[in-house]
Amino acid sequence: MDDKYKFIDFLGLRFNVANDLSVLISAILVFILVFALSRKITMRPGKAQNVLEWMIDFTNSIVKSAMPDGSGRRFNLYAFVLFLFVFVANQLGLIFQVKVGGFTYVKSPTTNPLITMGLATISLLLSHYYAVKKFGFGGYLSNYARPVKFLLPINLLEEFTNFLTLSLRLYGNIFAGEVLLALIGTVAKSVGAVTFVAAIPLAMVWQGFSVFIGAIQAYVFTTLSMVYISRKLEQE
């Protein structure tokens, strides 16, 4: 996509306005969603509470599948927030995009690799932190030489590949979806009424498919994050 972005320099750092606004809007939407669903918690749940409990059970099951011994309960909240944020962030650009004066201000933040890399970094840093907390720094380092010492280079390389696959898988899928939607929009305007009418059902079908892909990618990202954390808490 040929989007142009505004940048703000502050204290020697450069900020992409579209990234910052999109992440902030996604976080606010997640807060509003959870707040709205949890306003009236009762022993006999209503429809809103049932939806919230279903989402919590769903993300809890992701954690439990990665850490079936029960040690993963501390990550239930993280998995819940991570899944909802990634899901909303994936859909944001499908719901609306804001472009003013040729500059993009709001889009799906996960179409930028820096955002997905940031999310992957959080998950991987958590895995390293809890590994050090469980095994001690020496035990944590010794895990890289397990089960045999000559696997040390491979285990170190795996850390880098885990980071790339976790972040770039999410970025690639969401970015490709929005690129195709943009191409459909270009085709719709290319000839006139004929291509515009023909592109409408195609755009609707692809948007529906993109919602599905966004949900799947949120599930995959959360699942892999929990798997990476669980592997750090295991000793060969």
Side-chain angles (χ1 to χ4, degrees), residues 30-72:
V30 170
F31 174 80
I32 292 173
L33 173 64
V34 175
F35 180 77
L37 294 177
S38 61
R39 285 193 66 188
K40 297 179 180 179
I41 301 296
T42 61
M43 291 299 295
R44 181 176 292 179
K47 292 181 180 179
Q49 186 175 335
N50 276 327
V51 172
L52 180 62
E53 290 181 359
W54 178 83
M55 291 191 297
I56 292 173
D57 288 341
F58 177 72
T59 54
N60 286 353
S61 68
I62 295 176
V63 178
K64 188 174 181 180
S65 65
M67 291 167 267
D69 59 354
S71 61

Side-chain angles (χ1 to χ4, degrees), residues 94-151:
L94 299 175
I95 301 171
F96 69 96
Q97 293 189 18
V98 176
K99 294 186 178 182
V100 179
F103 291 95
T104 299
Y105 287 93
V106 177
K107 62 186 182 65
S108 292
T110 44
T111 58
N112 189 297
L114 294 179
I115 301 300
T116 59
M117 287 180 179
L119 291 170
T121 299
I122 293 172
S123 292
L124 295 178
L125 284 178
L126 275 176
S127 69
H128 293 295
Y129 168 77
Y130 280 101
V132 172
K133 187 176 180 180
K134 181 176 181 179
F135 301 114
F137 191 69
Y140 160 77
L141 292 177
S142 68
N143 282 338
Y144 284 99
R146 296 176 185 273
V148 288
K149 292 183 179 179
F150 70 80
L151 290 178

Side-chain angles (χ1 to χ4, degrees), residues 55-221:
M55 291 191 297
I56 292 173
D57 288 341
F58 177 72
T59 54
N60 286 353
S61 68
I62 295 176
V63 178
K64 188 174 181 180
S65 65
M67 291 167 267
D69 59 354
S71 61
R73 291 192 185 95
R74 74 187 92 170
F75 303 111
N76 284 345
L77 179 60
Y78 175 65
F80 175 71
V81 174
L82 180 64
F83 175 83
L84 285 185
F85 177 80
V86 174
F87 175 78
V88 171
N90 290 348
Q91 313 302 337
L92 185 61
L94 299 175
I95 301 171
F96 69 96
Q97 293 189 18
V98 176
K99 294 186 178 182
V100 179
F103 291 95
T104 299
Y105 287 93
V106 177
K107 62 186 182 65
S108 292
T110 44
T111 58
N112 189 297
L114 294 179
I115 301 300
T116 59
M117 287 180 179
L119 291 170
T121 299
I122 293 172
S123 292
L124 295 178
L125 284 178
L126 275 176
S127 69
H128 293 295
Y129 168 77
Y130 280 101
V132 172
K133 187 176 180 180
K134 181 176 181 179
F135 301 114
F137 191 69
Y140 160 77
L141 292 177
S142 68
N143 282 338
Y144 284 99
R146 296 176 185 273
V148 288
K149 292 183 179 179
F150 70 80
L151 290 178
L152 175 62
I154 297 176
N155 289 333
L156 291 174
L157 179 63
E158 185 181 26
E159 295 297 325
F160 181 67
T161 58
N162 285 345
F163 170 75
L164 286 182
T165 55
L166 187 60
S167 58
L168 297 185
R169 178 189 288 107
L170 176 60
Y171 156 70
N173 280 277
I174 306 306
F175 178 76
E178 292 206 357
V179 166
L180 192 50
L181 277 176
L183 289 175
I184 293 173
T186 302
V187 171
K189 302 173 185 176
S190 60
V191 176
V194 175
T195 53
F196 180 78
V197 172
I200 290 176
L202 182 60
M204 292 176 63
V205 169
W206 186 254
Q207 276 198 312
F209 184 68
S210 295
V211 170
F212 173 74
I213 292 297
I216 291 296
Q217 289 305 312
Y219 170 76
V220 169
F221 191 91

